[in-house]
Amino acid sequence: MLRHGLITAAFCCFIASALAISGNGSWESQMVYSLSIGMICWLFIDLGRLLLSGHKEVLWPHGFWGYGLIALGVIVGFLGGNAIGDAWVGAPPLEFRNLAARKMTSTIVITLVATIGMSFFFFSLGKSKHMQRQIELAQRNATEARLKLLETQLEPHMLFNTLANLRVLITVDPPRAVAMLDRLNSYLRMTLSGSRALAHPLSAEFDRLGDYLELMSVRMGERLRYTLDLPDDLRETPVPPLLLQPLVENSIRHGLEPKVEGGEITVRARRDAQGQLVIEVSDTGVGPDAAEQQQQQPSEGGGFGLEQVRERLATVYGEQGRLNLSAAPTGGTCVTLNLPLPA
């Protein structure tokens, strides 16, 4: 309302200046008349639209009520503004009735055109902002739906593999099957809690990753070793759920499993010199070149993780989220995520 009032006042000053320059009276009297008529019209219409529209998203009454409000605002503003102007210049009340027909007509036309024009301008401005909010809301909803879709695409892939391994272990090694089932239960519990939000603390992501790696350890035994390193000051940093598991799954599938002796996976989070969150997922597997050849071979889920993580980073963080794949200094592959830290 304040913005509307300031715009209306500026427009009234312009009209008063134009009338004074054209010889229709002194600048002072024209300013009083113009501001009085304009501000009364603005207050009446702006307050009226809020009262009539209630708590609707578009704060403007529809149909007859909107047109009636403008018409009534013109009448009230014209009469009230002229009464204030007449009192200012010392003329009798409603002196405008004694004006010549031509001058009376021009005064009414100016009031009508100015009020209708300003009302249409404010209505269009409000409608444009409402549409912009609707577009932003739709974009946020689309982003949320896209993230949830990506997450559901990743979940069944891991779950089916685990259930297949459980089926084998139940017959050949029941104690390991029970341990694997316990880990799966813990993992699914955390997954369900994370699926209700678009972000959760980095500590929850690491806990979830620990359960996943324990599931893989039951299957791979001593061929899989891992280290999770999360500083205390980064534990509450919000990140999208299921962000790191695809990278670790990729390291196991294409880095460690092709090696007879297996290897080690290290997941480490840190804050860099630019104040960004850096998460490194490194392994001592066959290296990026051999892993790329593995991913190009027809296999279930090959190359799925990296592409999905890149897409999630682009959806959530835009250009601020980056994924880099390189050879680890000690052999194997290193995937580095750069994410903005919340202010």
Side-chain angles (χ1 to χ4, degrees):
M1 283 191 64
L2 179 60
R3 182 174 63 252
H4 290 177
L6 292 175
I7 295 175
T8 302
F11 191 63
C12 290
C13 291
F14 171 77
I15 294 176
S17 299
L19 290 174
I21 292 173
S22 63
N24 288 314
S26 67
W27 181 85
E28 181 181 0
S29 62
Q30 292 295 339
M31 186 67 69
V32 172
Y33 276 104
S34 181
L35 281 174
S36 299
I37 295 173
M39 299 309 286
I40 291 176
C41 289
W42 158 65
L43 279 173
F44 187 90
I45 295 175
D46 231 7
L47 289 173
R49 72 179 178 87
L50 295 178
L51 293 174
L52 291 175
S53 59
H55 298 287
K56 297 179 181 178
E57 292 184 358
V58 180
L59 297 177
W60 188 266
H62 295 288
F64 170 78
W65 291 104
Y67 297 114
L69 179 64
I70 293 176
L72 196 57
V74 170
I75 296 173
V76 172
F78 182 79
L79 295 176
N82 273 284
I84 294 175
D86 291 341
W88 175 265
V89 299
L94 303 180
E95 177 66 16
F96 64 89
R97 292 180 302 175
N98 299 325
L99 296 176
R102 183 176 179 181
K103 194 170 183 180
M104 167 76 80
T105 302
S106 64
T107 303
I108 295 176
V109 168
I110 291 174
T111 303
L112 278 172
V113 172
T115 304
I116 294 173
M118 294 301 294
S119 297
F120 179 76
F121 172 74
F122 292 147
F123 172 77
S124 301
L125 186 64
K127 188 175 182 180
S128 174
K129 290 185 176 180
H130 171 70
M131 293 299 297
Q132 184 64 34
R133 287 194 297 269
Q134 293 297 106
I135 292 173
E136 292 174 355
L137 178 61
Q139 289 175 339
R140 285 198 301 270
N141 291 338
T143 298
E144 293 175 4
R146 191 173 184 177
L147 290 179
K148 291 300 180 185
L149 177 60
L150 293 177
E151 186 169 345
T152 56
Q153 287 176 329
L154 286 166
E155 288 290 356
H157 174 64
M158 175 266 174
L159 184 58
F160 294 152
N161 284 343
T162 303
L163 292 176
N165 292 326
L166 269 173
R167 184 178 184 277
V168 175
L169 284 176
I170 286 172
T171 57
V172 300
D173 193 346
R176 291 182 65 194
V178 171
M180 194 173 189
L181 189 58
D182 290 339
R183 285 293 180 176
L184 179 60
N185 182 50
S186 176
Y187 173 83
L188 290 178
R189 185 184 299 111
M190 189 168 295
T191 298
L192 288 174
S193 64
S195 66
R196 297 185 179 94
L198 291 176
H200 65 177
L202 188 56
S203 59
E205 186 74 5
F206 268 66
D207 291 341
R208 185 178 187 178
L209 198 59
D211 287 326
Y212 172 76
L213 285 167
E214 283 297 321
L215 285 173
M216 296 300 102
S217 296
V218 173
R219 189 185 76 181
M220 296 180 64
E222 296 181 355
R223 295 181 63 233
L224 174 61
R225 302 175 301 279
Y226 66 89
T227 301
L228 302 178
D229 182 11
L230 176 61
D232 290 337
D233 62 327
L234 296 176
R235 292 183 62 83
E236 299 302 319
T237 303
V239 294
L242 203 67
L243 183 67
L244 302 180
Q245 180 198 312
L247 303 180
V248 173
E249 185 176 354
N250 206 60
S251 294
I252 293 174
R253 179 183 298 269
H254 304 293
L256 301 188
E257 285 189 338
K259 293 182 68 174
V260 176
E261 69 275 20
E264 181 177 2
I265 293 177
T266 301
V267 183
R268 179 176 290 109
R270 58 183 174 86
R271 187 194 305 264
D272 67 3
Q274 287 73 38
Q276 282 196 321
L277 172 64
V278 179
I279 303 176
E280 296 174 347
V281 179
S282 59
D283 63 67
T284 60
V286 296
D289 294 335
E292 184 177 355
Q293 294 177 3
Q294 289 282 336
Q295 293 182 42
Q296 291 174 353
Q297 296 175 1
S299 62
E300 183 184 355
F304 185 74
L306 289 178
E307 291 304 318
Q308 295 304 312
V309 172
R310 283 195 179 97
E311 190 167 353
R312 295 191 77 188
L313 290 178
T315 303
V316 177
Y317 300 108
E319 296 181 355
Q320 292 183 300
R322 300 190 306 275
L323 182 150
N324 296 313
L325 177 67
S326 61
T330 58
T333 306
C334 181
V335 179
T336 304
L337 301 181
N338 293 83
L339 313 175
L341 284 169

